[in-house]
Amino acid sequence: MSATTTSPAPASASARVMLEKAVVRNWKPPIAFGIFSVITFLIVIVFGRVGTTTFRLSTSSDVIQLPEIKADVTTVSIAVTILLVIISAASTFLTWRAQRTPLWLISAFAVLFVAGFLTWAAADALIPIPGLLVGAVGLSVPLIFGALGGVISERVGVINVAIEGQLLAGAFVSAVVATVIGHEFWGPIAGLFAAMIAGVLVAFVLAAFSIKYFVDQVIVGVVLNVLVVGLTSFLFSKVLAPNAALLNTPPRFPRLPIPVLGEIPIIGPVLFRQTIIVYIMYIAVFVVWFALFKTKWGLRLRSVGEHPQAADTVGINVKRVRYINVI
């Protein structure tokens, strides 16, 4: 018997060459850019307005007072539309070359679209940019806290669709508790802890049904949202609204401006003249990232979510880890 050597099959070699030459084109960015470019053309050109929009960049307490920017609506509308079309064409060319559309190009498109729309919408009017951004940050705070809780829950293997119910229950309970306490200092703090407890109770119901009784997580989350919306709406109309002075006039956390940083134009009012809740949010984003990817707790959490059987074989109590982190 003689030893024989076999060479790689030609079919395998050709398949490998085909895989190397295969290209993946993501047409989502250029299609989205094209749609928004058409929308911009229809809004600012077809239904164009005439006038001047004034953008105020500073507040009265800023150290440096930036001058107001006056923008001619027609000129800005035409320029923004042309730039959006150019970016759309560039994204289409990059996609055709099987290259990704860079993030900075997407960001530039978004900024131009918003600037053009605001200029068109506020013709012959004044837009206070710091106030606009402060409102955006204020609205994003509960969403960010909800997202942080949601990412922890999802990483541990439970899809939390009940975040809206947690936020609504927390808001309702905190308003009542803070109003009942009534103290300018202790009222908001008591309301904050009451909101935490309400959110924990909603999460506990989600954890119990999805982890212990294996009910579909999405269905449980949707049911909890509907339940909390209905319950809080009923209690608001029947209890809070008739007794607003006693149950729905809570004291609020005061704004705590940071010296020097709070006086920087635009950035100062938006980021550094906020309440303690917003400052905690800045810290919480970093803490959650660090804990998830740089600590033993985060490694256990992610292992339970990604491969619960393997985590169980090394002695990790999967159910307990899921309960704790969902709650």
Side-chain angles (χ1 to χ4, degrees), residues 253-269:
F253 283 104
R255 294 188 180 274
L256 303 173
I258 298 178
V260 181
L261 294 177
E263 298 173 355
I264 301 175
I266 301 180
I267 298 177

Side-chain angles (χ1 to χ4, degrees), residues 43-67:
I43 291 177
V44 303
I45 302 297
V46 178
F47 302 100
R49 297 182 177 182
V50 178
T52 302
T53 302
T54 304
F55 293 92
R56 178 176 293 168
L57 305 179
S58 299
T59 61
S60 58
S61 57
D62 292 343
V63 174
I64 302 174
Q65 293 293 320
L66 299 178

Side-chain angles (χ1 to χ4, degrees), residues 81-294:
T81 304
I82 293 173
L83 290 174
L84 294 184
V85 171
I86 292 174
I87 293 176
S88 302
S91 178
T92 303
F93 177 75
L94 291 173
T95 303
W96 180 75
R97 295 280 303 272
Q99 298 179 9
R100 295 179 57 185
T101 302
L103 181 60
W104 67 267
L105 196 62
I106 299 175
S107 302
F109 187 95
V111 171
L112 287 171
F113 177 81
V114 172
F117 178 79
L118 289 177
T119 304
W120 171 84
D124 289 329
L126 173 68
I127 297 181
I129 296 298
L132 189 68
L133 296 177
V134 167
V137 172
L139 292 174
S140 68
V141 169
L143 302 180
I144 293 174
F145 276 115
L148 294 177
V151 74
I152 292 174
S153 180
E154 187 170 353
R155 281 286 186 170
V156 84
V158 177
I159 301 174
N160 188 355
V161 185
I163 296 175
E164 181 183 355
Q166 290 179 277
L167 295 176
L168 188 56
F172 182 90
V173 174
S174 66
V176 174
V177 171
T179 304
V180 171
I181 298 297
H183 194 273
E184 290 295 327
F185 178 78
W186 294 111
I189 295 177
L192 179 62
F193 280 97
M196 294 180 185
I197 295 173
V200 164
L201 291 177
V202 176
F204 176 78
V205 176
L206 171 67
F209 277 96
S210 61
I211 298 172
K212 184 176 182 179
Y213 298 107
F214 302 104
V215 181
D216 188 275
Q217 301 167 2
V218 176
I219 294 177
V220 175
V222 173
V223 170
L224 284 174
N225 285 337
V226 175
L227 174 64
V228 174
V229 169
L231 185 61
T232 53
S233 299
F234 174 78
L235 293 176
F236 176 80
S237 61
K238 297 298 182 180
V239 180
L240 264 65
N243 304 284
L246 297 176
L247 297 175
N248 196 25
T249 55
R252 300 174 179 270
F253 283 104
R255 294 188 180 274
L256 303 173
I258 298 178
V260 181
L261 294 177
E263 298 173 355
I264 301 175
I266 301 180
I267 298 177
V270 175
L271 300 179
F272 304 113
R273 295 184 202 167
Q274 296 287 354
T275 64
I276 188 65
I277 301 297
V278 180
Y279 298 140
I280 292 175
M281 180 193 72
Y282 300 156
I283 301 172
V285 172
F286 172 78
V287 168
V288 169
W289 167 81
F290 183 85
L292 277 176
F293 299 102
K294 304 293 182 180

Side-chain angles (χ1 to χ4, degrees), residues 2-16:
S2 59
T4 59
T5 59
T6 59
S7 59
S12 301
S14 61
R16 191 180 305 112

